Amino acid sequence: GHYVAAVQYKKENGKHYFYTKDSGGRNHTGWYTYENSMKGCVNQVWVVQKIDVPKPYVITKPYTGKLPSKVVKKGSKGTDVKHLQNFLNWALGSGLKVDGACGSKTVAAIKKFQKAQGLSQDGKFGSKSRAKAQALINKYK
């Protein structure tokens, strides 16, 4: 059997168009419709979509901030929340606004940290999360 590698695909007015580049020198480079050019010749069409996979966040420097001294959970406010937001930005690249208010984005980052550390994902940064955070900080001193 033969195959044709289409480098682009589009659907317009109910027709399927494929852009092919002919590497065989037969001057068959261009847009072809399945209905007009390929029907009966093609048994299967596979559409593969390229996706951009984000690069994993990598810690590149030691953490110089503090950890919260109290439990931080949704609705918490103050300096402890700021310490936690700074830490989560360092540890996860969370991009949290350091505003001292523990809202849904901060809770989501806490859960992400807890999951990465093998902890129960309750969204509360307490003693177990603090211990894992301190171990991570010590690892990058």
Side-chain angles (χ1 to χ4, degrees), residues 23-78:
S23 60
R26 293 179 296 275
N27 200 24
H28 291 157
T29 298
W31 286 100
Y32 295 93
T33 65
Y34 170 77
E35 290 79 6
N36 295 341
S37 305
M38 301 174 184
K39 200 167 191 171
C41 301
V42 177
N43 294 335
Q44 293 180 350
V45 175
W46 297 342
V47 176
V48 178
Q49 181 180 1
K50 180 182 175 187
I51 59 170
D52 291 323
V53 177
K55 293 180 182 175
Y57 176 75
V58 177
I59 296 172
T60 59
K61 59 185 177 182
Y63 183 66
T64 57
K66 296 180 179 181
L67 289 174
S69 58
K70 299 176 184 171
V71 174
V72 174
K73 60 185 179 180
K74 188 169 180 87
S76 296
K77 295 186 183 301

Side-chain angles (χ1 to χ4, degrees), residues 68 71-86 88-89 94-110 123 125:
V71 174
V72 174
K73 60 185 179 180
K74 188 169 180 87
S76 296
K77 295 186 183 301
T79 306
D80 278 325
V81 179
K82 287 182 179 181
H83 291 324
L84 178 58
Q85 290 167 330
N86 279 319
L88 293 170
N89 286 340
S94 296
L96 295 170
K97 182 177 178 182
V98 181
D99 60 4
C102 185
S104 58
K105 290 180 182 178
T106 301
V107 171
I110 292 169
F125 195 91

Side-chain angles (χ1 to χ4, degrees), residues 10 16 45 53-54 73 101 103 112 134-135:
K10 64 183 177 181
H16 303 269
V45 175
V53 177
K73 60 185 179 180
K112 184 176 179 182
Q134 189 61 58

